[in-house]
Amino acid sequence: NKFMKSASKIMITQIRGKDASFEFSDIKAGKYAIAVIHDENMNGELDTNLFGIPTEGYGFSSGAEVKMSAPSFSEAQFSYDGGNLQMSIALDY
């Protein structure tokens, strides 16, 4: 998908209960966007049905929502000042 192709960092982790966490390091201050997928069948893709609707969990930073397609970078962007930042992203299924 387009997020995986344009990503500057990709992280993979196991889900513990209903939560997963990541710690990024060496990130410079700037504007960023995060896309999260729950690759339930571990095939490296966000699976979709015949109509292109995701069949696995997904979420985006800044509460950006999927309308007719995935949100744009500007809809999901947030400013990062280079310090510690904690963010929660809820997934839609």
Side-chain angles (χ1 to χ4, degrees), residues 18-40:
K18 292 187 175 188
D19 296 312
S21 63
F22 300 92
E23 186 172 319
F24 295 91
S25 58
D26 299 325
I27 304 294
K28 295 178 182 177
K31 294 192 183 291
Y32 293 90
I34 298 175
V36 179
I37 66 169
H38 180 190
D39 185 12
E40 295 179 69

Side-chain angles (χ1 to χ4, degrees), residues 17-86:
K18 292 187 175 188
D19 296 312
S21 63
F22 300 92
E23 186 172 319
F24 295 91
S25 58
D26 299 325
I27 304 294
K28 295 178 182 177
K31 294 192 183 291
Y32 293 90
I34 298 175
V36 179
I37 66 169
H38 180 190
D39 185 12
E40 295 179 69
N41 61 4
M42 296 186 294
N43 68 350
E45 300 177 2
L46 176 61
D47 295 339
T48 60
N49 65 19
L50 293 174
F51 302 105
I53 298 170
T55 57
E56 296 178 308
Y58 61 90
F60 301 93
S61 51
S62 297
E65 297 180 5
V66 172
K67 294 175 181 131
M68 295 303 283
S69 64
S72 66
F73 178 87
S74 62
E75 291 172 317
Q77 80 177 358
F78 61 93
S79 293
Y80 172 61
D81 65 8
N84 289 332
L85 172 69
Q86 290 188 342

